[in-house]
Structure formats: structure tokens, C-alpha cells
Amino acid sequence: MKTVLFYIGMMLALVATSCSKILDTTPQDFISPINYYNTEKELESALAGVYDRLGDNRVYAQGMACYMVFSDEFFMKNQISGINANIVDASTLELNRHWEALYTGIERANMLLDNIDKAQVSEAKRNEIKGQTLFLRAYYYFLLTDEFGAVPLKLQSTKSPEEEPLPGTPIKDIYERIVADMKQAEILVKSVSDYGYNTRITKTTVQGILARVYLTMAGFPLNDASKYAEARSYAEKVMQSGLHDLTPDFSQIYINHVREVFDTKENLWEVEFKGTGQGEIQEAGTIGSYNGITCGIIEIGYGYDYVHATAKLYDAYASGDQRRDWTVAPYRYVTTGQTAVRTNWAADQIYDRSNGKWRREYELVLPRNQNMTGTNWPLLRYADVLLMFAEADNQVNGGPSAAAYNAINMVRRRGYGKNVSTPDTQADAVAGLSKQDFLDLIRNERLRELAFEGIRKHDLVRWGIYPSVMQAQVREYQTNMPAALRDPAIAQAQRVTERAVLFPIPNSELAVNPNIRQNTGW
């Protein structure tokens, strides 16, 4: 990594970023610490470079929306080779590029933090930028540790290609640094009300992600149950801020993503994609095309026939739950030549159904592109915060309190199209549940609410049940899946064994770092 990061640092190209609300500037061809980081504009440009890696194709533009987060909510239709078939090893290109993208973001953050004090800016502006940078570096380490385990913890920019490469840092130590940096960021960053959009890091974003970090520390692999109290506390901070609420119409959340409309009440943090990648200096993604409703016509909104819902996901919704037919598309476009007809699925065609959350028919930017969209990606929603609070509260109190019930019932009521503040016999959870029964309810509610949002695999891993759940999927596919779809889906799920809880350390790192060890089983 040392040589790679040295040249990243010395030849840092700040290409157009997914954060147009952060930066609108001409790309820089060369950055040297000697003659850069001197003005507010240069700091903002460097900060945009740190944000930029969120929108990489192997991060949230595509990979972390589907083929890097295999779970029990989806399978990749008829995919039998490569990462789309959940076939990975240390040489897998997408895995290597994913690692490199995250460490590029870390190196850019380190360069900015190393040089931020020399800039001629107000202390308030310096703090604002420093807080966002600290958080992003910590978030990239959170992703890396969650996916790869004990990775090198590098906290200063590379000054020379001769620097000794770092060994993997113990996971506990990495998490301690993640928490420390995020807590410092919480003090420094501004409120979402200061921006009016949610692609910058704000105080409640930091608090919500800290709740996620603490829940992760409470689960696998650290299993530090004392962290549940911290998770509860940070989720509660968001809830008490008065800045966030549930959007009344579940479907509107995703229509807003497609239309690039910012809803800062529901969505605490998004990756902003913009345009369609057709000549403009903007960064588009593939949300809605790679993982959307099947369609063969660009003018309607092309959708590759890849990401398909499982019967487990479809059947998780009870009668009256309006989230089901928005999350799991009840129709597809049957294409013949240059025409396509919207056609409903038959009642028994469950496994044929696509992810329906981000529907390209709502795109406003025309003409449409086959692959690229401006659809934003949700990194943290208020519903997630409520469910994290309920989960942590249940653990802290040895069972669910009234506050935990209220949090989960708000999410459920919205799912049934009800007023979130009014008790409802159809939507509300059964009273008097035990600690384990309430945890099971939370696990299923997170499946229903957050399906296809890249969080399910993470949840299954931190709960310590990822391999067992996926092996149960194998049996489900063998028993109930149509023969035409069965074998590829079975093979994808079968590959989730104990070793698959962590990805292999990529060859791109092993080739330059003799001090790092490969993960067990790889």
C-alpha cells in the first residue's frame, strides 16, 4: 500500500464528485501540500475528494448495493460466475478496487488533516471541515474493519514510498479510534438545519452512525454488551434533536431519491449522485438500473435482470403492510423489440420479482441512460435510528420498555399507512414480548424496512448468524424455488460459510505489504 498511497497523495486528482452540494469546481490535476491547502476553496476541494470515494462504483454506486452484500433478502438471477455469483477470492478485481477506494479516501482525509491548520480560514470553517474529514476517515475504517477485520490503521498521510507498511491493527483498537474520531467530529460539525440538504456530515448523522458503530461493537466480533447503552444513548440523541421524523408515505422516500430531492427529516445522510454520466462533469451511479425493475427499454428506464427478492423477504410482510409492494416490485416490463409493456407478476411468481424501491419511471433528467442514474443512495434513515434505539433499549433493560415499543411501532405504523403517533391494532407489535422475542421482531422489522439498502448483511454478521441464515436459504431455495432459477441461487448462498464473514485481504495489499496476514480460510 505504501507506494500506491504515496502516488495517490502526490498526484491526487479531485475529479467531479458525488457531492455537488459540497463543491462545484474545476478538477485539480496536481496537488502538493507545499502549495495547496491554503484557502477555504482549496480546503473545500480537498474535502470533496474525501467524500468522493463514497460514490465509487465499487462502493455505493453499485457494489455495496448488491454483489458485495449478499444476504437473505435477494439473490442474483442466473449469475454463475464472478462476484455477481458471490465468487470471491483475494484476486477478485471488485474486491481489490473496493479496498483501494476506501484507502484512497483515508489517504485524502489524512492529507487534509495533516495540512488543515496552515489554511487562512476562520476557526469555525476549519472546525467544520475538520469534523467532516475526521468522521469520513472513521467511517471508511468502519467499513473496512466490518468487511476485512484487522486492517492497517493509518492516521497520517504517506510522505515517502519508502515508508514501512503497517500490519493489521487489532479490531478493538480500530473501533476505539473510530469512536474517538466520531465523537470529536460530533463536536465540530454543523447541524443539518445549517445546510438544508443531507450529503454533508452533520451532528445527527454522526450520532446516528455512532449508534450503528456501538451496536456493531456490542455484537460480533467484539461481543462487548456494554456498548448497547452507548448505542441507545446516541440513537436517543437523534430522536430528541427535533430535526428528524418519518416521512408519512414510505414510497415517497425512494421517489425523492430518484428525483434527487432532499428530505432531511427522514434521510439523515445520503450519497448524492447527479446527472446520467453523459458528458457532464458529474458523478452518476447505477442505482435503479443495476438493481432495479426489469426493463429492456432505455426510454422507460433500463433495468438489468439481476437483483431478485427472496420469498423470505416477500413473506415477511403481513397483510396490510404497504411496504411489500413497493419494496418487492409487483410488475416488470416485458420487452419486445423497441416496445415494453408493464406486466404484473402472477401471485405465485415470487422469486421472479425485482427490487422495486428505486423506480426509474420517476427520473426527471432526460434523456435517460441505460446504465447511469442520478438516484441518491441512503446511508442512514430515521427509521433505522428508531429501530437501533429499540434494539439497544431491549438489550439494556433485559426486555423492551414502552419507549422501545413506541420506536418500533412508529416504523410499523408508517409501513401500514397509518399515523405514526396513533396506536393501531393492525400495525402495532404484540405487547408483553420477552427480550428474545422482541429481538426477533427487531430482526424481522429491519428486514422489512431496510431491504435492499445494503445493511442486511451487516446486521446478520453483527448478530453472529450470517452463515447459518444463508445456509437456511440454501434449504429454502432447494425446496421452493422454481427450477429455472434454483441452481445459481443455491450456489450463491452455499458460498456463505464461516470464512465468508470476512472478505479476503486483497492481493493488491498482499503484494506490497509483507506485514499483513490473510484472513482465516482464504
PDB file of all heavy atoms in Angstrom, residues 33-61:
ATOM      1  N   PRO A  33       1.204  19.337  -0.984  1.00  0.00           N
ATOM      2  CA  PRO A  33       0.987  20.015   0.295  1.00  0.00           C
ATOM      3  C   PRO A  33       1.740  21.333   0.402  1.00  0.00           C
ATOM      4  O   PRO A  33       1.352  22.205   1.176  1.00  0.00           O
ATOM      5  CB  PRO A  33       1.492  18.995   1.317  1.00  0.00           C
ATOM      6  CG  PRO A  33       1.381  17.672   0.635  1.00  0.00           C
ATOM      7  CD  PRO A  33       1.671  17.956  -0.818  1.00  0.00           C
ATOM      8  N   ILE A  34       2.794  21.488  -0.370  1.00  0.00           N
ATOM      9  CA  ILE A  34       3.598  22.704  -0.285  1.00  0.00           C
ATOM     10  C   ILE A  34       2.819  23.914  -0.769  1.00  0.00           C
ATOM     11  O   ILE A  34       2.898  24.993  -0.196  1.00  0.00           O
ATOM     12  CB  ILE A  34       4.901  22.541  -1.103  1.00  0.00           C
ATOM     13  CG1 ILE A  34       5.753  21.417  -0.500  1.00  0.00           C
ATOM     14  CG2 ILE A  34       5.685  23.858  -1.151  1.00  0.00           C
ATOM     15  CD1 ILE A  34       6.980  21.081  -1.325  1.00  0.00           C
ATOM     16  N   ASN A  35       2.046  23.737  -1.845  1.00  0.00           N
ATOM     17  CA  ASN A  35       1.356  24.895  -2.429  1.00  0.00           C
ATOM     18  C   ASN A  35      -0.155  24.745  -2.439  1.00  0.00           C
ATOM     19  O   ASN A  35      -0.849  25.412  -3.199  1.00  0.00           O
ATOM     20  CB  ASN A  35       1.862  25.155  -3.854  1.00  0.00           C
ATOM     21  CG  ASN A  35       1.750  23.917  -4.736  1.00  0.00           C
ATOM     22  OD1 ASN A  35       0.920  23.047  -4.480  1.00  0.00           O
ATOM     23  ND2 ASN A  35       2.586  23.845  -5.760  1.00  0.00           N
ATOM     24  N   TYR A  36      -0.689  23.866  -1.590  1.00  0.00           N
ATOM     25  CA  TYR A  36      -2.131  23.674  -1.546  1.00  0.00           C
ATOM     26  C   TYR A  36      -2.593  23.722  -0.089  1.00  0.00           C
ATOM     27  O   TYR A  36      -1.794  23.936   0.820  1.00  0.00           O
ATOM     28  CB  TYR A  36      -2.499  22.330  -2.181  1.00  0.00           C
ATOM     29  CG  TYR A  36      -3.897  22.319  -2.772  1.00  0.00           C
ATOM     30  CD1 TYR A  36      -4.182  22.980  -3.971  1.00  0.00           C
ATOM     31  CD2 TYR A  36      -4.939  21.663  -2.131  1.00  0.00           C
ATOM     32  CE1 TYR A  36      -5.455  22.971  -4.511  1.00  0.00           C
ATOM     33  CE2 TYR A  36      -6.218  21.655  -2.662  1.00  0.00           C
ATOM     34  CZ  TYR A  36      -6.466  22.316  -3.852  1.00  0.00           C
ATOM     35  OH  TYR A  36      -7.728  22.303  -4.382  1.00  0.00           O
ATOM     36  N   TYR A  37      -3.883  23.587   0.140  1.00  0.00           N
ATOM     37  CA  TYR A  37      -4.498  23.638   1.459  1.00  0.00           C
ATOM     38  C   TYR A  37      -4.297  25.002   2.130  1.00  0.00           C
ATOM     39  O   TYR A  37      -4.128  25.092   3.347  1.00  0.00           O
ATOM     40  CB  TYR A  37      -3.933  22.541   2.376  1.00  0.00           C
ATOM     41  CG  TYR A  37      -4.035  21.144   1.824  1.00  0.00           C
ATOM     42  CD1 TYR A  37      -2.922  20.508   1.268  1.00  0.00           C
ATOM     43  CD2 TYR A  37      -5.237  20.447   1.848  1.00  0.00           C
ATOM     44  CE1 TYR A  37      -3.018  19.222   0.755  1.00  0.00           C
ATOM     45  CE2 TYR A  37      -5.332  19.160   1.337  1.00  0.00           C
ATOM     46  CZ  TYR A  37      -4.230  18.553   0.790  1.00  0.00           C
ATOM     47  OH  TYR A  37      -4.320  17.286   0.290  1.00  0.00           O
ATOM     48  N   ASN A  38      -4.322  26.053   1.335  1.00  0.00           N
ATOM     49  CA  ASN A  38      -4.054  27.387   1.872  1.00  0.00           C
ATOM     50  C   ASN A  38      -5.298  28.250   2.016  1.00  0.00           C
ATOM     51  O   ASN A  38      -5.298  29.206   2.799  1.00  0.00           O
ATOM     52  CB  ASN A  38      -3.048  28.128   0.982  1.00  0.00           C
ATOM     53  CG  ASN A  38      -1.695  27.450   0.983  1.00  0.00           C
ATOM     54  OD1 ASN A  38      -1.181  27.087   2.040  1.00  0.00           O
ATOM     55  ND2 ASN A  38      -1.114  27.256  -0.191  1.00  0.00           N
ATOM     56  N   THR A  39      -6.349  27.957   1.255  1.00  0.00           N
ATOM     57  CA  THR A  39      -7.539  28.791   1.247  1.00  0.00           C
ATOM     58  C   THR A  39      -8.772  27.946   1.549  1.00  0.00           C
ATOM     59  O   THR A  39      -8.739  26.712   1.501  1.00  0.00           O
ATOM     60  CB  THR A  39      -7.721  29.462  -0.123  1.00  0.00           C
ATOM     61  OG1 THR A  39      -8.005  28.436  -1.102  1.00  0.00           O
ATOM     62  CG2 THR A  39      -6.471  30.231  -0.537  1.00  0.00           C
ATOM     63  N   GLU A  40      -9.867  28.627   1.825  1.00  0.00           N
ATOM     64  CA  GLU A  40     -11.123  27.919   2.068  1.00  0.00           C
ATOM     65  C   GLU A  40     -11.536  27.107   0.851  1.00  0.00           C
ATOM     66  O   GLU A  40     -11.999  25.968   0.981  1.00  0.00           O
ATOM     67  CB  GLU A  40     -12.219  28.910   2.441  1.00  0.00           C
ATOM     68  CG  GLU A  40     -13.554  28.258   2.724  1.00  0.00           C
ATOM     69  CD  GLU A  40     -14.603  29.258   3.164  1.00  0.00           C
ATOM     70  OE1 GLU A  40     -14.251  30.251   3.832  1.00  0.00           O
ATOM     71  OE2 GLU A  40     -15.799  29.028   2.840  1.00  0.00           O
ATOM     72  N   LYS A  41     -11.374  27.681  -0.328  1.00  0.00           N
ATOM     73  CA  LYS A  41     -11.743  26.966  -1.551  1.00  0.00           C
ATOM     74  C   LYS A  41     -10.915  25.695  -1.708  1.00  0.00           C
ATOM     75  O   LYS A  41     -11.440  24.637  -2.089  1.00  0.00           O
ATOM     76  CB  LYS A  41     -11.550  27.871  -2.764  1.00  0.00           C
ATOM     77  CG  LYS A  41     -11.926  27.213  -4.083  1.00  0.00           C
ATOM     78  CD  LYS A  41     -11.732  28.172  -5.256  1.00  0.00           C
ATOM     79  CE  LYS A  41     -12.089  27.488  -6.572  1.00  0.00           C
ATOM     80  NZ  LYS A  41     -11.902  28.399  -7.738  1.00  0.00           N
ATOM     81  N   GLU A  42      -9.632  25.770  -1.390  1.00  0.00           N
ATOM     82  CA  GLU A  42      -8.777  24.588  -1.520  1.00  0.00           C
ATOM     83  C   GLU A  42      -9.129  23.530  -0.469  1.00  0.00           C
ATOM     84  O   GLU A  42      -9.096  22.326  -0.757  1.00  0.00           O
ATOM     85  CB  GLU A  42      -7.315  25.001  -1.415  1.00  0.00           C
ATOM     86  CG  GLU A  42      -6.840  25.788  -2.636  1.00  0.00           C
ATOM     87  CD  GLU A  42      -5.417  26.311  -2.510  1.00  0.00           C
ATOM     88  OE1 GLU A  42      -4.847  26.236  -1.390  1.00  0.00           O
ATOM     89  OE2 GLU A  42      -4.876  26.799  -3.517  1.00  0.00           O
ATOM     90  N   LEU A  43      -9.487  23.968   0.721  1.00  0.00           N
ATOM     91  CA  LEU A  43      -9.911  23.005   1.734  1.00  0.00           C
ATOM     92  C   LEU A  43     -11.205  22.314   1.326  1.00  0.00           C
ATOM     93  O   LEU A  43     -11.359  21.102   1.492  1.00  0.00           O
ATOM     94  CB  LEU A  43     -10.095  23.691   3.089  1.00  0.00           C
ATOM     95  CG  LEU A  43      -8.844  24.206   3.807  1.00  0.00           C
ATOM     96  CD1 LEU A  43      -9.217  24.717   5.189  1.00  0.00           C
ATOM     97  CD2 LEU A  43      -7.767  23.135   3.917  1.00  0.00           C
ATOM     98  N   GLU A  44     -12.162  23.090   0.795  1.00  0.00           N
ATOM     99  CA  GLU A  44     -13.428  22.502   0.353  1.00  0.00           C
ATOM    100  C   GLU A  44     -13.200  21.530  -0.805  1.00  0.00           C
ATOM    101  O   GLU A  44     -13.833  20.479  -0.889  1.00  0.00           O
ATOM    102  CB  GLU A  44     -14.408  23.604  -0.062  1.00  0.00           C
ATOM    103  CG  GLU A  44     -14.951  24.424   1.085  1.00  0.00           C
ATOM    104  CD  GLU A  44     -16.057  23.713   1.846  1.00  0.00           C
ATOM    105  OE1 GLU A  44     -16.255  22.497   1.655  1.00  0.00           O
ATOM    106  OE2 GLU A  44     -16.734  24.381   2.654  1.00  0.00           O
ATOM    107  N   SER A  45     -12.272  21.881  -1.693  1.00  0.00           N
ATOM    108  CA  SER A  45     -11.948  20.996  -2.812  1.00  0.00           C
ATOM    109  C   SER A  45     -11.341  19.692  -2.306  1.00  0.00           C
ATOM    110  O   SER A  45     -11.697  18.596  -2.760  1.00  0.00           O
ATOM    111  CB  SER A  45     -10.970  21.707  -3.757  1.00  0.00           C
ATOM    112  OG  SER A  45     -10.603  20.876  -4.817  1.00  0.00           O
ATOM    113  N   ALA A  46     -10.439  19.806  -1.349  1.00  0.00           N
ATOM    114  CA  ALA A  46      -9.822  18.603  -0.777  1.00  0.00           C
ATOM    115  C   ALA A  46     -10.857  17.769  -0.020  1.00  0.00           C
ATOM    116  O   ALA A  46     -10.849  16.529  -0.088  1.00  0.00           O
ATOM    117  CB  ALA A  46      -8.679  19.005   0.150  1.00  0.00           C
ATOM    118  N   LEU A  47     -11.770  18.426   0.694  1.00  0.00           N
ATOM    119  CA  LEU A  47     -12.817  17.703   1.410  1.00  0.00           C
ATOM    120  C   LEU A  47     -13.714  16.943   0.440  1.00  0.00           C
ATOM    121  O   LEU A  47     -14.105  15.804   0.693  1.00  0.00           O
ATOM    122  CB  LEU A  47     -13.642  18.688   2.241  1.00  0.00           C
ATOM    123  CG  LEU A  47     -14.856  18.118   2.972  1.00  0.00           C
ATOM    124  CD1 LEU A  47     -14.439  17.047   3.975  1.00  0.00           C
ATOM    125  CD2 LEU A  47     -15.634  19.238   3.671  1.00  0.00           C
ATOM    126  N   ALA A  48     -14.034  17.571  -0.688  1.00  0.00           N
ATOM    127  CA  ALA A  48     -14.859  16.893  -1.688  1.00  0.00           C
ATOM    128  C   ALA A  48     -14.171  15.632  -2.200  1.00  0.00           C
ATOM    129  O   ALA A  48     -14.829  14.638  -2.509  1.00  0.00           O
ATOM    130  CB  ALA A  48     -15.162  17.835  -2.850  1.00  0.00           C
ATOM    131  N   GLY A  49     -12.856  15.661  -2.267  1.00  0.00           N
ATOM    132  CA  GLY A  49     -12.112  14.473  -2.664  1.00  0.00           C
ATOM    133  C   GLY A  49     -12.242  13.349  -1.663  1.00  0.00           C
ATOM    134  O   GLY A  49     -12.220  12.170  -2.024  1.00  0.00           O
ATOM    135  N   VAL A  50     -12.392  13.700  -0.373  1.00  0.00           N
ATOM    136  CA  VAL A  50     -12.595  12.679   0.650  1.00  0.00           C
ATOM    137  C   VAL A  50     -13.993  12.072   0.504  1.00  0.00           C
ATOM    138  O   VAL A  50     -14.170  10.846   0.532  1.00  0.00           O
ATOM    139  CB  VAL A  50     -12.404  13.267   2.059  1.00  0.00           C
ATOM    140  CG1 VAL A  50     -12.546  12.174   3.115  1.00  0.00           C
ATOM    141  CG2 VAL A  50     -11.033  13.944   2.181  1.00  0.00           C
ATOM    142  N   TYR A  51     -14.982  12.921   0.340  1.00  0.00           N
ATOM    143  CA  TYR A  51     -16.358  12.435   0.130  1.00  0.00           C
ATOM    144  C   TYR A  51     -16.469  11.573  -1.125  1.00  0.00           C
ATOM    145  O   TYR A  51     -17.268  10.636  -1.188  1.00  0.00           O
ATOM    146  CB  TYR A  51     -17.309  13.619  -0.042  1.00  0.00           C
ATOM    147  CG  TYR A  51     -17.868  14.211   1.213  1.00  0.00           C
ATOM    148  CD1 TYR A  51     -17.294  15.342   1.797  1.00  0.00           C
ATOM    149  CD2 TYR A  51     -19.011  13.688   1.814  1.00  0.00           C
ATOM    150  CE1 TYR A  51     -17.827  15.930   2.933  1.00  0.00           C
ATOM    151  CE2 TYR A  51     -19.555  14.266   2.949  1.00  0.00           C
ATOM    152  CZ  TYR A  51     -18.958  15.386   3.498  1.00  0.00           C
ATOM    153  OH  TYR A  51     -19.495  15.956   4.636  1.00  0.00           O
ATOM    154  N   ASP A  52     -15.697  11.904  -2.124  1.00  0.00           N
ATOM    155  CA  ASP A  52     -15.854  11.316  -3.460  1.00  0.00           C
ATOM    156  C   ASP A  52     -15.838   9.797  -3.468  1.00  0.00           C
ATOM    157  O   ASP A  52     -16.524   9.162  -4.263  1.00  0.00           O
ATOM    158  CB  ASP A  52     -14.733  11.846  -4.368  1.00  0.00           C
ATOM    159  CG  ASP A  52     -14.778  11.248  -5.761  1.00  0.00           C
ATOM    160  OD1 ASP A  52     -15.714  11.565  -6.501  1.00  0.00           O
ATOM    161  OD2 ASP A  52     -13.874  10.449  -6.083  1.00  0.00           O
ATOM    162  N   ARG A  53     -15.069   9.180  -2.586  1.00  0.00           N
ATOM    163  CA  ARG A  53     -14.939   7.721  -2.620  1.00  0.00           C
ATOM    164  C   ARG A  53     -16.221   7.008  -2.221  1.00  0.00           C
ATOM    165  O   ARG A  53     -16.396   5.828  -2.545  1.00  0.00           O
ATOM    166  CB  ARG A  53     -13.783   7.267  -1.730  1.00  0.00           C
ATOM    167  CG  ARG A  53     -12.406   7.739  -2.197  1.00  0.00           C
ATOM    168  CD  ARG A  53     -12.052   7.220  -3.588  1.00  0.00           C
ATOM    169  NE  ARG A  53     -12.687   7.992  -4.653  1.00  0.00           N
ATOM    170  CZ  ARG A  53     -12.896   7.535  -5.881  1.00  0.00           C
ATOM    171  NH1 ARG A  53     -12.563   6.305  -6.218  1.00  0.00           N
ATOM    172  NH2 ARG A  53     -13.464   8.307  -6.787  1.00  0.00           N
ATOM    173  N   LEU A  54     -17.130   7.704  -1.547  1.00  0.00           N
ATOM    174  CA  LEU A  54     -18.432   7.097  -1.260  1.00  0.00           C
ATOM    175  C   LEU A  54     -19.152   6.719  -2.547  1.00  0.00           C
ATOM    176  O   LEU A  54     -19.884   5.731  -2.596  1.00  0.00           O
ATOM    177  CB  LEU A  54     -19.307   8.073  -0.466  1.00  0.00           C
ATOM    178  CG  LEU A  54     -18.860   8.420   0.950  1.00  0.00           C
ATOM    179  CD1 LEU A  54     -19.682   9.595   1.470  1.00  0.00           C
ATOM    180  CD2 LEU A  54     -18.989   7.223   1.883  1.00  0.00           C
ATOM    181  N   GLY A  55     -18.941   7.512  -3.589  1.00  0.00           N
ATOM    182  CA  GLY A  55     -19.642   7.302  -4.845  1.00  0.00           C
ATOM    183  C   GLY A  55     -18.905   6.440  -5.842  1.00  0.00           C
ATOM    184  O   GLY A  55     -19.327   6.338  -7.002  1.00  0.00           O
ATOM    185  N   ASP A  56     -17.815   5.800  -5.421  1.00  0.00           N
ATOM    186  CA  ASP A  56     -17.093   4.912  -6.318  1.00  0.00           C
ATOM    187  C   ASP A  56     -17.988   3.741  -6.726  1.00  0.00           C
ATOM    188  O   ASP A  56     -18.850   3.291  -5.974  1.00  0.00           O
ATOM    189  CB  ASP A  56     -15.829   4.384  -5.627  1.00  0.00           C
ATOM    190  CG  ASP A  56     -14.934   3.594  -6.552  1.00  0.00           C
ATOM    191  OD1 ASP A  56     -14.062   4.201  -7.181  1.00  0.00           O
ATOM    192  OD2 ASP A  56     -15.121   2.358  -6.648  1.00  0.00           O
ATOM    193  N   ASN A  57     -17.752   3.227  -7.932  1.00  0.00           N
ATOM    194  CA  ASN A  57     -18.570   2.133  -8.445  1.00  0.00           C
ATOM    195  C   ASN A  57     -18.475   0.894  -7.565  1.00  0.00           C
ATOM    196  O   ASN A  57     -19.432   0.121  -7.471  1.00  0.00           O
ATOM    197  CB  ASN A  57     -18.138   1.778  -9.867  1.00  0.00           C
ATOM    198  CG  ASN A  57     -19.273   1.159 -10.657  1.00  0.00           C
ATOM    199  OD1 ASN A  57     -20.403   1.636 -10.601  1.00  0.00           O
ATOM    200  ND2 ASN A  57     -18.986   0.110 -11.400  1.00  0.00           N
ATOM    201  N   ARG A  58     -17.313   0.685  -6.898  1.00  0.00           N
ATOM    202  CA  ARG A  58     -17.152  -0.480  -6.030  1.00  0.00           C
ATOM    203  C   ARG A  58     -17.516  -0.160  -4.590  1.00  0.00           C
ATOM    204  O   ARG A  58     -17.295  -0.974  -3.695  1.00  0.00           O
ATOM    205  CB  ARG A  58     -15.719  -1.013  -6.114  1.00  0.00           C
ATOM    206  CG  ARG A  58     -15.514  -2.035  -7.223  1.00  0.00           C
ATOM    207  CD  ARG A  58     -15.544  -1.428  -8.592  1.00  0.00           C
ATOM    208  NE  ARG A  58     -15.307  -2.416  -9.650  1.00  0.00           N
ATOM    209  CZ  ARG A  58     -14.621  -2.166 -10.751  1.00  0.00           C
ATOM    210  NH1 ARG A  58     -14.092  -0.963 -10.951  1.00  0.00           N
ATOM    211  NH2 ARG A  58     -14.467  -3.100 -11.676  1.00  0.00           N
ATOM    212  N   VAL A  59     -18.054   1.028  -4.363  1.00  0.00           N
ATOM    213  CA  VAL A  59     -18.568   1.354  -3.030  1.00  0.00           C
ATOM    214  C   VAL A  59     -20.086   1.482  -3.181  1.00  0.00           C
ATOM    215  O   VAL A  59     -20.757   0.498  -3.466  1.00  0.00           O
ATOM    216  CB  VAL A  59     -17.869   2.597  -2.436  1.00  0.00           C
ATOM    217  CG1 VAL A  59     -18.268   2.818  -0.979  1.00  0.00           C
ATOM    218  CG2 VAL A  59     -16.345   2.403  -2.495  1.00  0.00           C
ATOM    219  N   TYR A  60     -20.647   2.694  -3.068  1.00  0.00           N
ATOM    220  CA  TYR A  60     -22.104   2.782  -3.053  1.00  0.00           C
ATOM    221  C   TYR A  60     -22.745   3.004  -4.420  1.00  0.00           C
ATOM    222  O   TYR A  60     -23.973   2.923  -4.534  1.00  0.00           O
ATOM    223  CB  TYR A  60     -22.547   3.876  -2.088  1.00  0.00           C
ATOM    224  CG  TYR A  60     -22.302   3.510  -0.648  1.00  0.00           C
ATOM    225  CD1 TYR A  60     -21.361   4.190   0.121  1.00  0.00           C
ATOM    226  CD2 TYR A  60     -22.997   2.461  -0.047  1.00  0.00           C
ATOM    227  CE1 TYR A  60     -21.134   3.852   1.451  1.00  0.00           C
ATOM    228  CE2 TYR A  60     -22.767   2.104   1.271  1.00  0.00           C
ATOM    229  CZ  TYR A  60     -21.838   2.811   2.023  1.00  0.00           C
ATOM    230  OH  TYR A  60     -21.607   2.453   3.326  1.00  0.00           O
ATOM    231  N   ALA A  61     -21.968   3.278  -5.455  1.00  0.00           N
ATOM    232  CA  ALA A  61     -22.572   3.428  -6.779  1.00  0.00           C
ATOM    233  C   ALA A  61     -23.110   2.111  -7.311  1.00  0.00           C
ATOM    234  O   ALA A  61     -23.997   2.098  -8.163  1.00  0.00           O
ATOM    235  CB  ALA A  61     -21.564   4.015  -7.768  1.00  0.00           C
TER     236      ALA A  61
END
